Every structure is written in C-alpha cells, then in structure tokens.
Amino acid sequence: MQETRCTGRIGRYNTFMAKLTILTGPLRRQAFELDPKDQPKIIGRTRDKAHFFLPDPAVSRQHAELFFRDGQWLICDLNSSNGTFLNEQRITRPVQLHSQDQIRCGGTVLLFETGEPLAAGEAARLADDQRIELVFDPGETMVAVAFNSLQSKQAAARRQRMLEAAQAAMNLSHGIKNILQALRTGIDVMDQSFRQDNLEQARKSWAILRRNLGTIEKFVLDMLKFTQDEKPRLQPCQINRLAETVIELLRPQAQQRSVALIAQLDDQIGLVPLDPDRMQDVLMNLLLNALEAVPPQTGQVTLSTELDAAGHLLIRVQDNGPGIENPEMLFRPFHSTKGHMGTGLGLAIAKKVVSAHNGTIDVQTLRGEGTVFTVRIPLNQPTAEKNTFK
C-alpha cells in the first residue's frame, strides 16, 4: 500500500487508461497519459516537482494531485493559491473524475478522458442534443457551449469574460501588492532613520522609496497604454533619429551594468509613416528587456534598422543573454520573468502597438546564446496628413 497527501491508500486498479489534454494556453493540445499503476501525479508550475508542468503564472508550484483509488480516478487540490476547479466548481476535498470532465488550474483548462464505457447517467449527460463543443478565442480561454442553444452560448461567453477579468485582476493585484510591500519596507527604514537621527540610513531608504514610486508610475502608465484602443496617429517619422534618441535615453542604464549598447542603422531609410510616440514605447520596451537580460560586463545589445525587398521596415533588437525558456508566453499580459520588478505588460504593449501599425513582431531565441526580436511594419500606409483617425 502507498500513501498520498490527499487519499491515504490507493486501492485496486482496473484496465482503463486515462488521459489529460490541455485545452488552453501555450501548451494547448499537449496530452498526458494516466496509468492506474503509476504513483499519484502532481499538476504544477515547477518542472522538477510536477509531473504535469503548466507554464501558467496563476498555477501554484504544486497545484493539484491526481490519483487512482478503488477503481476510480480522483483529483484533489494541494492548497493552491487560486484553487482547483472541476467543471467550474471549486473543489475542497478529493473528488471523483468522470470522462469529459474539465479541470481548471489558474488560467489553464484540462480535459479528462478515459476509455471506460460511460454509465447510463453519463451517456445521457452527453447525448447528441447536449453534446459539448470546445471553442477557443485569441485569449486562449476555453468555454463549453451546447449545440443549437443560443442561451447556453451567451452564458458561456459571459463566463469566459468573467474568467478573463478575474485572471487580469488577480495578476494586477499581485503586482500592486509587491510594490506596496517594497514601499512599506522603505517607509519602515525611513522611520527608523528619523528615530535614530541616522542621515545615511535615511538616504538609503529614500532610494528605495524613489525607486518604487517610479515602479508605480511605470505600472500605471503601462496599464493606460495597454487599455488604449486608439488608432496610431501616423506621420512622416525619421525612424533612425527616433532609435538614436531611445538609445541615448537608455545609455546610462547600460553603462551602469557595463553593457555595450550598439546602433546599426540603415542610412538609406528616409521618412516612414509611424506614430513616433507609440513606436518609442516599442523600442524602449524591447531594449529594456534586452538590457536586463544580458550579463553585466560582457552583455551586448544591438538595435538595427533596415528595409527589405517587400517594402517593409525591419527593426531588430538582438542580445547575447541566456535566451528565453518559454518564448510562447512572452506577449501574454502580466507575464513577467522579472519577479516583483516587472509589470508583465511591456511586451504586450509592444505587440499591440506593432499590430496597430499593421505589422508583426516575432522572436527567435536559443538557450545560452541570446534572443532576437524582429518588428516588421509595412511602409505603404497613409499618414495623418492624408487620413484622419477618430
């Protein structure tokens, strides 16, 4: 007999294998086989401790556990931060699984399937007139809707929007909480400095406060930029001059870490139709990410511009950093690899701005060798002089 944290003993197993399939997120369609003879399986966000790895920031390191007991598959929550949901009902104790059940951990939904024949009640639940269709939207959120049922579709759409809003609010609250904790630390140190009349310690605490006030300012501005839906105000722009301006703004930060910041600009590029304010945000976010990714002393970041044969403006930001582990997560809002130092909106804003210019942004990365972001924008766009955006 073997023990688990949730179940106590595991009983006999039958011959029916089971499968978990990821329905949402970057690993969508990936499947995991479940063998009754195996040890209990952990769902989580830590590769070395979870059998089923989910790269979802809302998933706990060890989120939930699946196990086989007395001829049945069961699932239990492992005191996760955001809970485990079975068919959108939060579970607080081990619960039996049935074929076609949907498990949600954080923002990731998994489908449980088994080869065991359905009981009469389960067959009726999935009869033709109540069959389930899985629908995916660009936000990768799964909703289940019934065929030929407008009311069910509307209810599912409302639930989808609620899930997205709840996920965004949760991530936002985590970011704000981290900033407030840092501010509280600075205030406590400042108070202690005043009590001890320690000017040197007060200077250090003020540096903490000033840095985190700047973080709050960036967080609020990023939120405003991310939620704006205005069309770009295109005008003739000297992209090389804009690139040089951004590089000079970031030069002190690069020098502080002894990182080489290099410009390779095509001097054949003239005026191009861009929204200079928003494109500056794109360059700033790409360069900041690269500067923070490369190692001090030996780091190198290169910003280049060129025109391709198809009449596109190409902007590349290349670094010699460690590469990116999950590039498919990069442009997801609120996803950050910087811990409490990042808002997780920089690259999402960059992608939104580039898309508004009818362009694309992609990434190529090699672990241990570096990363290249490439922005591609068509130049045959009307400027604000010829087109008025409302």
Side-chain angles (χ1 to χ4, degrees), residues 11-305:
R12 61 179 179 81
Y13 60 86
N14 59 24
T15 59
F16 297 114
M17 299 290 289
K19 180 174 69 172
L20 276 183
T21 303
I22 299 178
L23 299 179
T24 65
L27 300 182
R28 192 175 78 189
R29 298 189 181 91
Q30 181 171 329
F32 306 103
E33 297 293 335
L34 294 169
D35 190 332
K37 294 177 288 186
D38 290 343
Q39 297 289 330
K41 298 294 186 180
I42 304 295
I43 298 173
R45 189 168 46 88
T46 304
R47 285 185 182 274
D48 58 344
K49 294 184 179 179
H51 302 93
F52 305 142
F53 168 67
L54 301 181
D56 182 340
V59 171
S60 296
R61 296 179 183 276
Q62 296 185 70
H63 196 104
E65 184 178 65
L66 291 101
F67 55 93
F68 194 80
R69 183 178 65 185
D70 297 331
Q72 300 290 341
W73 283 101
L74 296 97
I75 185 171
C76 69
D77 182 72
L78 297 178
N79 295 319
S80 62
S81 299
N82 301 312
T84 301
F85 294 78
L86 181 62
N87 300 321
E88 288 311 313
Q89 297 293 319
R90 186 165 186 165
I91 61 174
T92 57
R93 56 181 178 79
V95 178
Q96 180 180 337
L97 289 169
H98 301 280
S99 190
Q100 305 302 313
D101 276 345
Q102 299 154 20
I103 302 166
R104 179 165 65 83
C105 301
T108 302
V109 179
L110 305 99
L111 179 67
F112 175 82
E113 298 175 283
T114 177
E116 185 173 4
L118 294 175
E122 290 299 302
R125 183 170 67 90
L126 297 176
D128 287 345
D129 59 344
Q130 296 292 330
R131 190 174 301 158
I132 297 299
E133 174 189 8
L134 296 181
V135 179
F136 301 93
D137 73 350
E140 300 293 345
T141 299
M142 188 282 296
V143 294
V145 300
F147 281 130
N148 304 319
S149 173
L150 179 60
Q151 184 177 1
S152 296
K153 292 181 180 180
Q154 290 173 337
R158 284 195 299 271
R159 183 174 67 178
Q160 174 187 359
R161 289 193 295 270
M162 290 175 64
L163 287 173
E164 291 173 340
Q167 183 68 45
M170 180 187 64
N171 290 328
L172 180 61
S173 65
H174 279 300
I176 294 174
K177 181 190 71 174
N178 290 330
I179 297 172
L180 291 177
Q181 286 176 342
L183 284 173
R184 171 52 59 189
T185 299
I187 292 172
D188 290 343
V189 175
M190 183 71 81
D191 288 341
Q192 183 180 11
S193 302
F194 288 145
R195 288 193 298 268
Q196 299 176 352
D197 197 22
N198 188 333
L199 184 59
E200 182 60 29
Q201 185 171 277
R203 288 195 183 99
K204 293 180 181 179
S205 62
W206 173 243
I208 295 174
L209 290 172
R210 183 171 56 185
R211 182 171 62 251
N212 284 280
L213 286 171
T215 302
I216 288 178
E217 181 182 25
K218 184 178 187 305
F219 197 93
V220 172
L221 291 176
D222 281 352
M223 285 295 297
L224 290 173
K225 292 172 184 176
F226 181 69
T227 55
Q228 284 177 346
D229 286 325
E230 296 178 1
K231 294 182 179 180
R233 298 187 63 83
L234 302 182
Q235 56 184 283
C237 175
Q238 286 278 5
I239 183 61
N240 287 344
R241 184 172 300 173
L242 181 62
E244 290 170 346
T245 299
V246 173
I247 285 177
E248 289 310 309
L249 288 172
L250 296 178
R251 183 79 66 188
Q253 184 167 332
Q255 291 174 344
Q256 186 178 8
R257 302 185 69 237
S258 299
V259 170
L261 186 53
I262 302 169
Q264 295 179 350
L265 308 178
D266 185 351
D267 57 11
Q268 300 299 313
I269 301 176
L271 295 173
V272 293
L274 297 173
D275 184 325
D277 292 334
R278 295 193 177 186
M279 195 53 59
Q280 178 170 315
D281 289 336
V282 172
L283 298 181
M284 288 285 289
N285 282 319
L286 292 178
L287 286 172
L288 277 171
N289 271 349
L291 287 173
E292 292 166 356
V294 298
Q297 311 300 327
T298 60
Q300 179 173 306
V301 176
T302 302
L303 171 62
S304 62
T305 61

